[in-house]
Amino acid sequence: MEDHHQPANGIGSLNGTLFNGDPTGDTTASIAQAQTITADEIALYDRQIRLWGVKAQEKLRTADILLINFQALANEVAKNLVLAGIGSLTISDDQFVTDGDLGAQFFISEQHIGMNRAEAARQEIQNLNPRVSLHVDTAPILSKPPSFFQIFDIIIATTRSLDTLSTINASCRLCNRPFYAAGTHGFYGYIFADLISHDYVIEREKGNKPTILQPESATRSVIAFSTKKADNASGKIIEMVTKREIYSPLLLANSSPLPPKHLVSRRTKMRVTPLLTCLKALWEFQKISGTMPSHSHADLELFTTLATEKHKELQLPPETLRSEFLRSFLQNLGSELAPVTAFLGGMLAQDVINVLGQREQPIQNFLLFDGEESAGPVYALHPIFPPLDGEMA
């Protein structure tokens, strides 16, 4: 692996500095204060600076991101982050390009078959934005000690088994580093976030109801607020509310119940996507057999049994786990569809950008995408917490 620099702005400083910039108004004052961002960069990233502000762009340009397992979904994440202007991207992959990689991956071609996947894509990624420092690591990720993850601001692992994802997640927690897991199977996919503890700022017009420093849900609290005048002639007062989200590691989230709001009635239970059940069953199947389900009768029977058990554990009606959905999920396993990886890759990259800039509420904590239904619900899966009065999770 190539040598790494210590990131100029680690996650500790990111979480310690609250971003209060104006994302759409006049950025002249902010630009004057940003001593390290150049005029060329301001011109290059002008559109996104107008969207999320120069302070967020400054944090983005010093961010050091680790992206694990370079397949179609990771292609999309890398593209979006590199074009956005992150400081450094390290791609970790010990696998080689095969015929199966050519269907939905746009950084490689037939000439790369037999090469390491990250090395094969390296030059094309670099061509997207020469300003980004690009590194490739071809050693198995499970051979890395927890200290390896210390130098990164955010770690993203894609298309791996639950055991591997959980091991990486545990190492990230030891280093106090935010972690994302994501994967796709044909029309279906997911994003999981464990940001440990994350502060972010919401800007809104100040209303008549006073803002109170208090919990809003079992995982979210209002910890600070301030006001400023709008940067226009409206005379409106803008309130900047700082909130804190608390997260759970993947192993705990995977064994946690649905939030109470999804279980209050038969109608709310019927709305829960069976994709959550199938993802849990898939991870349990991989834990038992060490492989993905095949089309053998034994594998289909085991997966169906596991899915039925997981559905019951989630307290969901049996009729929402239809045989047609189980069949569709199993038929999609292991495949990559460009429209799905593009959507999820864009969602994941945008969430990473928001987290780095400490703007907007991040994913909390499981986003599930069903391409056949064009639906992407988010479920906050955590160990059971005592309910809060008036909770609005």
Side-chain angles (χ1 to χ4, degrees):
M1 176 184 172
E2 297 182 6
D3 291 336
H4 269 84
H5 60 281
Q6 184 70 21
N9 194 355
I11 198 67
S13 60
L14 286 176
N15 283 343
T17 304
L18 300 181
F19 174 61
N20 294 327
D22 170 32
T24 58
D26 184 7
T27 60
T28 303
S30 295
I31 291 173
Q33 295 174 357
Q35 300 297 320
T36 56
I37 193 167
T38 67
D40 287 345
E41 287 174 301
I42 292 171
L44 178 64
Y45 302 123
D46 176 69
R47 289 187 178 182
Q48 59 201 51
I49 287 175
R50 293 178 184 275
L51 178 63
W52 54 61
V54 72
K55 291 183 181 179
Q57 187 65 39
E58 175 63 23
K59 291 179 179 179
L60 194 62
R61 72 187 291 277
T62 59
D64 199 341
I65 308 297
L66 174 63
L67 183 56
I68 301 167
N69 200 46
F70 205 64
Q71 293 179 274
L73 178 57
N75 280 201
E76 295 287 350
V77 175
K79 178 194 71 177
N80 285 287
L81 292 178
V82 167
L83 289 175
I86 60 172
S88 176
L89 176 68
T90 297
I91 303 172
S92 171
D93 197 324
D94 63 343
Q95 297 299 303
F96 301 96
V97 178
T98 66
D99 289 332
D101 291 314
L102 304 179
Q105 300 183 40
F106 45 79
F107 288 126
I108 57 175
S109 60
E110 289 185 8
Q111 68 182 16
H112 297 116
I113 292 177
M115 293 179 60
N116 174 271
R117 286 194 300 220
E119 287 286 4
R122 179 176 188 155
Q123 188 56 54
E124 290 298 320
I125 300 169
Q126 191 71 76
N127 290 342
L128 292 176
N129 192 344
R131 295 177 182 273
V132 175
S133 178
L134 186 60
H135 308 269
V136 166
D137 190 325
T138 60
I141 193 63
L142 292 181
S143 69
K144 304 293 186 182
S147 58
F148 167 76
F149 301 93
Q150 183 75 39
I151 63 174
F152 301 104
D153 294 305
I154 291 179
I155 292 87
I156 306 166
T158 65
T159 320
R160 301 301 294 261
S161 68
L162 177 63
D163 285 347
T164 298
L165 294 173
S166 298
T167 299
I168 299 169
N169 190 182
S171 294
C172 291
R173 280 200 155 240
L174 287 174
C175 300
N176 195 34
R177 291 296 182 261
F179 168 78
Y180 286 92
T184 63
H185 295 286
F187 281 105
Y188 309 108
Y190 75 93
I191 299 173
F192 168 79
D194 177 14
L195 308 182
I196 307 174
S197 176
H198 177 69
D199 297 350
Y200 59 98
V201 176
I202 298 293
E203 293 193 19
R204 63 192 184 194
E205 184 178 348
K206 184 173 175 57
N208 295 326
K209 186 177 180 180
T211 298
I212 302 174
L213 303 184
Q214 64 179 7
E216 290 186 330
S217 74
T219 62
R220 183 176 64 250
S221 300
V222 176
I223 62 171
F225 62 90
S226 60
T227 58
K228 68 177 182 179
K229 289 185 178 180
D231 293 331
N232 52 44
S234 67
K236 294 179 179 179
I237 301 299
I238 302 300
E239 187 174 46
M240 296 167 291
V241 182
T242 303
K243 300 185 179 185
R244 175 171 295 159
E245 287 277 2
I246 303 299
Y247 286 79
S248 297
L250 181 56
L251 271 181
L252 279 180
N254 185 49
S255 60
S256 295
L258 281 164
K261 69 176 183 179
H262 296 291
L263 302 173
V264 294
S265 68
R266 178 175 175 80
R267 177 177 295 182
T268 58
K269 292 179 180 180
M270 294 289 288
R271 292 175 181 168
V272 176
T273 174
L275 180 56
L276 177 59
T277 294
C278 286
L279 182 61
K280 285 173 169 281
L282 173 62
W283 282 342
E284 185 66 21
F285 186 100
Q286 289 178 304
K287 182 178 180 180
I288 293 172
S289 66
T291 63
M292 298 272 275
S294 68
H295 295 296
S296 70
H297 177 75
D299 280 5
L300 296 178
E301 186 176 29
L302 175 57
F303 182 84
T304 301
T305 299
L306 293 172
T308 303
E309 291 174 355
K310 297 298 180 183
H311 208 63
K312 185 176 181 180
E313 289 175 6
L314 290 168
Q315 302 180 50
L316 297 176
E319 60 266 32
T320 61
L321 187 64
R322 306 183 315 275
S323 59
E324 295 84 1
F325 188 90
L326 286 172
R327 187 180 304 112
S328 176
F329 181 80
L330 289 167
Q331 289 173 343
N332 277 270
L333 285 181
S335 62
E336 298 178 323
L337 292 179
V340 175
T341 57
F343 174 81
L344 276 181
M347 289 286 293
L348 177 49
Q350 185 60 59
D351 208 64
V352 168
I353 290 169
N354 287 340
V355 166
L356 290 169
Q358 295 184 270
R359 298 181 55 78
E360 308 302 331
Q361 180 171 337
I363 293 171
Q364 175 64 281
N365 54 354
F366 256 108
L367 182 151
L368 299 173
F369 180 67
D370 182 340
E372 292 189 315
E373 298 291 335
S374 296
V378 177
Y379 300 98
L381 302 182
H382 299 276
I384 297 174
F385 292 97
L388 298 170
D389 292 338
E391 180 173 328
M392 297 295 291

